[in-house]
Amino acid sequence: LALTGTVVSSGELLTSKNDASSYDLLLRNTTVQGNQMKYGLPQEGGLKPFVNNDMLSWIGDQVVPSGDIFSSVLDPLGGGQDVRMKVTYADNDMMVWRTPNLP
């Protein structure tokens, strides 16, 4: 059994009050779109693959606070649904952001 989908989060990017070269990313709401359940059923010496697009479709209609979902990832980076990020490189094509609190 495998569950797939695309996580979509909204947030705000604000200049840090303590350091003008740092930014605070504040995640607000999260939903999962394009949910699929992939599974296999026994059939003549193997598994026949199936995909169900409807069983989890109700999840895409819900928006929940991001903090609960991402706390295990964001807590070590600053806590809750907020994380401090610092621009370490920028040119016309790319920006590199780093998290100073990453252990």
Side-chain angles (χ1 to χ4, degrees), residues 20-71:
S21 65
S22 292
Y23 296 83
D24 294 327
L25 175 62
L26 313 172
L27 292 176
R28 296 295 178 222
N29 296 302
T30 297
T31 186
V32 180
Q33 301 292 319
N35 300 298
Q36 291 183 329
M37 181 183 295
K38 297 180 179 183
Y39 58 97
L41 294 177
Q43 185 161 356
E44 297 182 24
L47 293 176
K48 182 176 180 182
F50 290 93
V51 175
N52 185 314
N53 295 319
D54 299 324
M55 189 168 289
L56 299 174
S57 62
W58 57 273
I59 294 175
D61 296 331
Q62 297 185 24
V63 175
V64 297
S66 298
D68 296 337
I69 294 172
F70 292 111
S71 65

Side-chain angles (χ1 to χ4, degrees), residues 8-17 22-30 64-68 70 74 77-85 97 99:
V8 179
S9 293
S10 64
E12 297 176 54
L13 188 62
L14 306 169
T15 303
S16 174
K17 294 176 182 163
S22 292
Y23 296 83
D24 294 327
L25 175 62
L26 313 172
L27 292 176
R28 296 295 178 222
N29 296 302
T30 297
V64 297
S66 298
D68 296 337
F70 292 111
L74 294 179
L77 303 177
Q81 38 191 347
D82 305 346
V83 63
R84 170 128 328 133
M85 299 187 335
W97 298 78
T99 54

